[in-house]
Structures are given as C-alpha cells and as structure tokens.
Amino acid sequence: MHTYKLVQGLAGLGLISVCQAKWWESPFRMFQTNLRTIDIDMDVNATADYILQHGAGAWLQSIGGIIANYPTELEFQMRNPYLDQRPSGDLVQDTMDAAQAREIRLLGRMDFSKVHRDIGERHPEWLYVSPNQTWQNHTGNLLSVCPSGDYYQERIFDILEEVISWYPDLAGFFVNWAGFNENDYFRNYWGVCHCSSCQRRWRDHAGDVELPDGPWNSTYAEWKLFSDGIINEWTVQVRDFIAEHLPEAGLILGTGADITFHESNNALGRDMWHHATSETVSRFKSQKPTTPVLVNAASFLDHAYRINGEETNNFVQYHLQAISRGANPSTYIIGYPGRIPWPGLEEAAEIMRFHKQWQEVYTGLRPIAKTGLVLPRSAQRENSTEYEQSLNEYQGIYKTLQETHIPFDVIAQQNIGTTELERYEVIILPDLGQLLPEDAQDLDDWVEAGGRLVVTGEIGVDDDGTPQLQSLPAERRLEFHNDPRDLWSTYIAPQQNRTEEDDSTSYLYRKLGFAPFAPPEFIFGNRQIDDEPGAGVNTYGSGKAALIPFPVGRSYREVGLSIFRDFLNLVLDEVVAQEPVEVSIAEQVEVTLNVNRNNETVIHLVNMSGQRRMNFGAYLPIPAGSIRVLRGTEGVTARSLRGNMTLDVEDGVIKLPGLDLFDVIVITGLEQVDQN
Ligand SMILES: *[C@@H]1O[C@H](CO)[C@@H](O)[C@H](O)[C@H]1NC(C)=O
Ligand SMILES: *[C@@H]1O[C@H](CO)[C@@H](O)[C@H](O)[C@H]1NC(C)=O
Ligand SMILES: *[C@@H]1O[C@H](CO)[C@@H](O)[C@H](O)[C@H]1NC(C)=O
Ligand SMILES: *[C@@H]1O[C@H](CO)[C@@H](O)[C@H](O)[C@H]1NC(C)=O
Ligand SMILES: *[C@@H]1O[C@H](CO)[C@@H](O)[C@H](O)[C@H]1NC(C)=O
Ligand SMILES: *[C@@H]1O[C@H](CO)[C@@H](O)[C@H](O)[C@H]1NC(C)=O
Ligand SMILES: *[C@@H]1O[C@H](CO)[C@@H](O)[C@H](O)[C@H]1NC(C)=O
Ligand SMILES: *[C@@H]1O[C@H](CO)[C@@H](O)[C@H](O)[C@H]1NC(C)=O
Ligand SMILES: *[C@@H]1O[C@H](CO)[C@@H](O)[C@H](O)[C@H]1NC(C)=O
C-alpha cells in the first residue's frame, strides 16, 4: 500500500512516496470470541493470555450492531442487558485494556443484519420485507434489516463513528451476515426483499421489469447481480469510512474490503468437499495475489449445532489448507475460552504457532503455479443440474491434479476477465458449456499468444454448432448426448490402426462403436471408429488447445476408475506447464507452490489421508517422498520447516523426510521465471 505525502522541502515542493505498510499486509493470526449476551462476564485478562498462547496476535471481539457490549448512546443499538454486571459497565474498554497490555490487536465484530423489534417498529422502512409483505423474525425478538435501506446506508456509520471515537485504538472491523437475508437461520427461504428501498432501486436499475420473488423467476439472475452490486458498493463505503476515520484499521469482508474473508465450516445436510478451504483461498489469491485473505475456522458445526465441537482432524485442515495457500488463519469459537469445551484447540494452536514462528517465510507469499483450473459459476448455467455436473467435473479434475501433484491455482469463472491470465501456461475449463463471449475471446487471445487450453465436457457452440472457442480442434458440434443410455457400451481406447493426421492437430485414442453388452455370450464387436477421437490437441497461434469431448473429471469422481485420471494426464502431458520442481509423494498429499518476499520457493505438503464422508478422521503416515528440481540446480538449498532441518540435495533431487500431518519445504536458489 502506498500513500503519497506532499512535503515542503528546503529546495521547494517535492513529491515523495512513502511506503506505509498496513499491519494486515504482514502475515497475522486471529482468534475470534463470538459472544452470547451471557458471556458478558468474560475474564478479559485470562482470555487475552489464552489468545497469546494460542499463537494469535489479533483478537476479534463482539462489539456492536444487534447487541452492543459497550454503553452505546445510540437508540438503534440494543445494549447488552447484562452489561451492568461488569464493574466497569463496558466490556469493550476492558477488552481493549487487556489487549493493549499484551500488544494484541483488537478488532471489532459488528452485525447490522438485524434489529430488535422495538427499533424495527419505529423504523419499518429499514426492514426486510418478503414478497408476501411480511417481516423476517428471529429468536430474541429480532427482525431482519435490508442492506438497501437507510439503516445500512446511513445509520451504521453513526454506530461506527461512536465506536471509533470511543475506541480509537481498534485495529479493524468485521461485519457479520452483510447480505440480503433471503434465508433465515432455519434455512427457510423467504424470497427477494420487497422493501420500499429495494423497489425504488430496482426500478432505477431495471425500469418496468418486475422485482422477482425468488430463483423461480427468470429475472432472478439479474437481481443477484443487482443485489451483489449493492453489497459491493456498500463494502467500499464502509472501507473508505474506516480508512478516513481510523487509517490504521482494516476491514475484513468480501469484495472491496482490505482483507478478504472466508469462513471454513461444516454443516449437516451439506456435501463435504474436502478441499473447500484450499480452493477458496486459491480463487481469491489467483485474482488478487497481494490482497490478504483471512480464513476463520469454525470450531463448531454450523448453525443448529453450534455447541457441538468440530472433529479435530477436520478443524486442523481448515488452518493447514489456509496457510498452504497463503491465507491468515483464525480460530473461531462461541463464547470465551474455557466456557464451552472445544476439542482441537490445542492442535489448531500448534499450526498457529508454526505460522508465527515462520512469519518470515510467509511474508509476501503468492502463488506461482503455472496451471489454472476454472471453478464453474452457477449463474453461467441454465439449470442447477447442469451446474452440478460442471462442479463434479471440476472436482474430478481438482482431484486428478492434486493426486498427481501438478501445482495449480483455482480461477473463479466470473474472474476470468479480471485475472492475469498471462501468469498461467495451462488453463483447464471443466465442462463449462456456453462461455461469456468476452471470456471466450480473452481465452482465444491467450492461446494465440502461447497459452495452452484444455477443455472438457460440453463446449459452447453457436446456432450452427460452431464452437465458441476458435482455438479448439473442432469445427462443428455434430451431436450432443445427454442421456446416459445413449452412451451405454461406448468406450475409448488407444488407436489401433494409424491414419494420416494433419500437422496442426493430433488425436489421442479413438472411440469404439457400440456392441451388445448382454447377454455375456454376445458382448463383443466394438470396432474402432477412426474419425471419433478421445481427445484432440490443436495448435493455434503460438499456443495449443486440447478438447476432451466427454466429462473425464466427472467420470473419475463418480466411478473412481483411475484410467480416467490417467487419460486426463495423457492429454495434460501434451500441453504440460514448465514448473520449477516435480514432487513425488503419496497421492493423499496436497502440494501447493508459492514464492515469498525473499524469492524462496515455498512448498506445502498437506497430508489429506484421513478423508471420510463428512470430515477428516485419523490420517495415515506418509512414506518419504522427493522433489526433483527442474530448473537451475546450481546452488539450490532446501529445508524442512517442520523439522527445522536442512535437506540433502543430490543430483537435483531433494529427499523429503517422512510426512506426518504436514510439512513446508523451503527451497532457495530456484530460478523464478515469471516474477510479475
Ligand atoms: C486485567 O489485569 C490488569 C493488570 O493486572 C488489571 O489492572 C485489570 O483490572 C484487569 N482487568 C479486569 C477487567 O479484571
Ligand atoms: C416468527 O413469527 C411467527 C409468527 O408470529 C412465529 O410463528 C415464529 O415462531 C417466529 N419465529 C421466531 C424464530 O421467533
Ligand atoms: C408467500 O405465501 C405463500 C402462501 O402462504 C407461500 O406459499 C409462499 O411460499 C410465500 N412466498 C415466499 C417467498 O415466502
Ligand atoms: C415469479 O413467479 C411467481 C410464481 O410463478 C409468479 O406468481 C410471479 O408473478 C413471478 N414474478 C415475476 C416478477 O416474474
Ligand atoms: C437441466 O439440464 C439437464 C441437463 O442438460 C436436462 O436434462 C434437464 O432437462 C434440464 N432441466 C430443466 C428443468 O431444464
Ligand atoms: C484396422 O483396420 C482394418 C483395415 O481397415 C480393419 O479391418 C480393422 O477392423 C481395424 N481394427 C480396428 C480395431 O478397428
Ligand atoms: C527476487 O528476484 C527478483 C528477480 O530475479 C530480484 O529482482 C529481487 O531483487 C529478488 N529479491 C530478493 C529479496 O532476493
Ligand atoms: C499423514 O498423516 C498420518 C496420520 O498422522 C500419518 O500417519 C502419515 O504419516 C501422514 N502422511 C504423510 C504423508 O504425512
Ligand atoms: C531452527 O534452527 C536454527 C538452527 O538450529 C535455530 O537457530 C532457529 O532458531 C530454529 N528456528 C526455529 C523457528 O525454530
């Protein structure tokens, strides 16, 4: 972050640039005490001591919004009814004193999503209104507020102003649940807000088009963009307000904040994706490599079971995956330490302390993987089945890359236009179907300039079947099969009879035509079809584009046959990215590749061997592996941070120690080809 100051120098007026680093630009660790009203009796000194020994240097404390833990004078905040139980009458000041005595940075958690019914009845124009004209009520006699109304747009700045003027040493803010309240805590769907502010803003935005009620209306996708826009705009306003009034304080929130926020949690009734934290941090970092990310790891199950501790092995994965992609870890509990017995806090603390101990290694960490895997965007798909198929395809490819240790970043589909594509040598599009025309153009341009694209599954085509991506090795889509029965007894196999190929395109495997599959006496006769390849690779400009015309990742994920993984790797071999190292280790390990401020290559090895249906259980020890240095082997040194020891480098091969839960290998002397 650069700020510029005009200074009057002896020789006249000069403009100098002052490099004023903000605290959140260095790696940090946070602990959140998410307080219930009854936690007003918190022993701030004991908690502060706990936070320090946990390895954290930042403390996120509940301050205001729905419930103020300080003697607010504003009529639209409710004071914690137990506040008088504290001798000082002010939990926030007590917390600040305890934090300052230990040089802990104190951040304030605010929640503007709801107000007490008394306040809501005085200001009905602030409230969320369902399509059925009802308010949204919650436990504690609370009503939901709408982000487009005056409470969010104006009154919260009064609250922030009061908090900032009373506690000017706050180091930052986090705002909880800043959204449009379509769902309540019971997961009831209430629909799109129809309050008067929303009606007015929507008219300005969409003219005569009626405000949708929910996803079943065709204008809903547009409303999503509209409402996201309101939140993003509001986030920037809050950020600017804080920057103006408290320049040393940062805002933790979504797009537009100083620190991008992600909460890692687990919930009943939701499928587990074991790489969720790693994936999310990666998609933030691939778009904005220098914007800090905070991963708040919930030590409890989501919503309805918030007093139930998370499984320890699962909990530590949140922290590990976060730091492996360059995010700042945060431990998040309900209440204060010692109030509810959370398992896994000591294991989490070990990772926090590790991150602190190696602060220097984590400074300026940014991804350098040369392969980008695009994460499908739901709004880009016609219906949810198609989206889920793309997501499955993506997850199967994610697994393939992870298990075969091809370092990669995740690029969110909606960020294709704002991501620096030049940093990548290979980009994979998993069954995305129709792309935005501008994205297709950007990708074709990138291929022409030397990029190597791999497209799987469904492709976008024009009315006459011409592929949207001109770089693909295909002129026209002749057929599209979506009914599984159409593909029963279809195989692809290595080509048996060589045929002439034109120079710019090569084909891998050939389809075998249909043959009976029952009864067993008659299951033979599948013949190679010469002009139906399993994949094609085309040269386009200085680059290449490969097409695998079936969902190879989904096949791997759903059937589990590694032949699909192998086939994808066969195609990837044709377009392979030039990485500085090659890691050989058990496939249960996830490898991430970053570089830090000191130009050290930082490789995280995370043992993911304990995956179970809903979480991680006990992990298995992993036998020693190795890393082969592929670039500039002269003067290369390597060390393991977990063991704090130097590793032998022999003939360009680094021998790794056996892996327990994780390790971080730091290599110096590797040529960094692309520094950006
Ligand atoms: C915290 O400890 C300090 C120093 O011992 C003490 O002065 C202060 O009163 C304590 N705070 C509270 C709220 O007990
Ligand atoms: C919300 O209000 C409805 C209608 O009065 C009531 O049945 C329901 O229990 C309330 N919900 C909560 C969470 O208080
Ligand atoms: C509105 O009320 C109707 C009738 O009670 C109900 O079926 C519908 O789900 C409600 N709509 C929303 C968006 O809550
Ligand atoms: C949304 O869908 C509902 C149910 O089909 C319909 O009654 C309503 O008129 C639709 N609203 C808009 C704005 O299309
Ligand atoms: C959604 O897409 C799938 C796959 O293309 C298709 O089979 C299904 O009919 C579609 N459903 C709807 C409601 O359009
Ligand atoms: C290879 O080509 C020959 C001659 O065209 C043909 O008879 C044979 O069936 C082909 N083999 C396969 C596996 O398709
Ligand atoms: C890192 O490498 C770049 C490019 O080679 C070089 O300009 C820079 O000085 C190096 N930084 C450090 C800290 O070694
Ligand atoms: C993974 O963790 C298990 C369980 O601790 C451990 O036994 C195994 O050695 C680890 N494997 C690796 C590669 O770290
Ligand atoms: C690692 O080992 C070196 C040398 O033995 C020691 O000086 C250093 O303090 C250790 N670092 C950490 C973070 O333990």
Side-chain angles (χ1 to χ4, degrees), residues 354-355 357-362 596 600 602-604 638-647 657 662-667:
F354 176 88
H355 189 259
Q357 202 173 16
W358 299 105
Q359 175 89 7
E360 181 65 20
V361 169
Y362 286 96
N596 67 15
E600 291 171 320
V602 181
I603 300 173
H604 280 74
R639 62 203 158 108
S640 148
L641 296 191
R642 204 71 196 295
N644 191 13
M645 60 184 174
T646 304
L647 301 175
F662 74 106
D663 203 346
V664 180
I665 310 299
V666 177
I667 307 177

Side-chain angles (χ1 to χ4, degrees), residues 210-213 216-219:
E210 222 183 306
L211 195 56
D213 298 344
W216 51 86
N217 292 130
S218 59
T219 46

Side-chain angles (χ1 to χ4, degrees), residues 51-216:
I51 289 173
L52 275 190
Q53 71 80 36
H54 192 78
W59 177 359
L60 181 59
Q61 169 73 310
S62 303
I63 288 192
I66 298 176
I67 293 286
N69 282 321
Y70 69 100
T72 179
E73 288 168 358
L74 298 169
E75 55 108 6
F76 36 83
Q77 274 194 115
M78 187 170 65
R79 278 190 205 186
N80 185 327
Y82 307 113
L83 201 56
D84 292 343
Q85 288 180 9
R86 292 195 78 81
S88 67
D90 184 349
L91 175 61
V92 176
Q93 189 58 53
D94 290 347
T95 309
M96 178 61 84
D97 294 343
Q100 284 194 315
R102 293 163 183 82
E103 295 187 10
I104 296 175
R105 289 197 170 87
L106 187 67
L107 288 87
R109 173 194 186 270
M110 312 298 291
D111 189 333
F112 304 121
S113 64
K114 299 163 189 74
V115 290
H116 193 268
R117 181 178 285 274
D118 294 344
I119 300 167
E121 282 175 352
R122 288 201 298 274
H123 298 282
E125 73 282 7
W126 292 351
L127 299 179
Y128 164 91
V129 177
S130 79
N132 287 350
Q133 300 301 314
T134 56
W135 292 340
Q136 186 181 87
N137 61 325
H138 301 268
T139 309
N141 223 358
L142 299 179
L143 296 173
S144 286
V145 168
C146 175
S148 77
D150 280 354
Y151 182 69
Y152 262 76
Q153 298 294 325
E154 290 175 20
R155 295 290 71 78
I156 67 121
F157 295 100
D158 299 340
I159 298 176
L160 287 174
E161 191 162 357
E162 181 181 77
V163 169
I164 286 172
S165 62
W166 291 15
Y167 312 103
D169 294 315
L170 280 170
F173 288 95
F174 164 68
V175 183
N176 187 53
W177 200 290
F180 269 78
N181 289 310
E182 287 175 85
N183 293 286
D184 65 16
Y185 283 114
F186 287 86
R187 300 192 194 168
N188 293 320
Y189 186 73
W190 289 68
V192 166
C193 179
H194 277 54
C195 75
S196 54
S197 315
C198 280
Q199 301 273 8
R200 195 187 58 247
R201 282 168 172 260
W202 176 256
R203 265 196 309 278
D204 291 346
H205 176 83
D208 290 341
V209 179
E210 222 183 306
L211 195 56
D213 298 344
W216 51 86

Side-chain angles (χ1 to χ4, degrees), residues 149-377:
D150 280 354
Y151 182 69
Y152 262 76
Q153 298 294 325
E154 290 175 20
R155 295 290 71 78
I156 67 121
F157 295 100
D158 299 340
I159 298 176
L160 287 174
E161 191 162 357
E162 181 181 77
V163 169
I164 286 172
S165 62
W166 291 15
Y167 312 103
D169 294 315
L170 280 170
F173 288 95
F174 164 68
V175 183
N176 187 53
W177 200 290
F180 269 78
N181 289 310
E182 287 175 85
N183 293 286
D184 65 16
Y185 283 114
F186 287 86
R187 300 192 194 168
N188 293 320
Y189 186 73
W190 289 68
V192 166
C193 179
H194 277 54
C195 75
S196 54
S197 315
C198 280
Q199 301 273 8
R200 195 187 58 247
R201 282 168 172 260
W202 176 256
R203 265 196 309 278
D204 291 346
H205 176 83
D208 290 341
V209 179
E210 222 183 306
L211 195 56
D213 298 344
W216 51 86
N217 292 130
S218 59
T219 46
Y220 181 77
E222 187 56 37
W223 178 81
K224 271 304 238 192
L225 296 175
F226 160 81
S227 56
D228 284 353
I230 293 177
I231 294 296
N232 292 345
E233 209 175 282
W234 176 83
T235 303
V236 171
Q237 275 174 31
V238 175
R239 203 207 71 85
D240 289 350
F241 184 88
I242 293 170
E244 185 184 329
H245 292 77
L246 216 51
E248 295 311 309
L251 175 66
I252 306 174
L253 209 65
T255 310
D258 300 302
I259 303 158
T260 310
F261 177 80
H262 172 66
E263 180 176 315
S264 290
N265 58 29
N266 198 0
L268 252 76
R270 186 173 82 196
D271 277 350
M272 175 81 183
W273 169 236
H274 295 85
H275 304 275
T277 301
S278 185
E279 161 189 300
T280 307
V281 177
S282 181
R283 79 177 155 83
F284 291 148
K285 284 280 173 187
S286 63
Q287 193 201 12
K288 294 181 178 169
T290 58
T291 300
V293 176
L294 179 97
V295 170
N296 209 17
S299 59
F300 47 85
L301 284 181
D302 205 16
H303 288 160
Y305 299 94
R306 280 203 268 200
I307 298 181
N308 208 124
E310 180 54 271
E311 184 75 7
T312 298
N313 286 304
N314 196 51
F315 189 46
V316 298
Q317 282 287 331
Y318 298 152
H319 285 73
L320 279 179
Q321 293 184 24
I323 66 171
S324 81
R325 294 282 190 175
N328 300 292
S330 171
T331 296
Y332 167 25
I333 65 168
I334 299 283
Y336 50 76
R339 192 102 208 238
I340 300 170
W342 303 111
L345 285 187
E346 191 40 43
E347 287 80 355
E350 275 177 36
I351 297 166
M352 293 278 225
R353 294 192 291 253
F354 176 88
H355 189 259
K356 181 177 178 190
Q357 202 173 16
W358 299 105
Q359 175 89 7
E360 181 65 20
V361 169
Y362 286 96
T363 302
L365 207 66
R366 61 180 172 79
I368 50 165
K370 296 279 171 212
T371 298
L373 171 61
V374 175
L375 172 66
R377 177 189 202 186

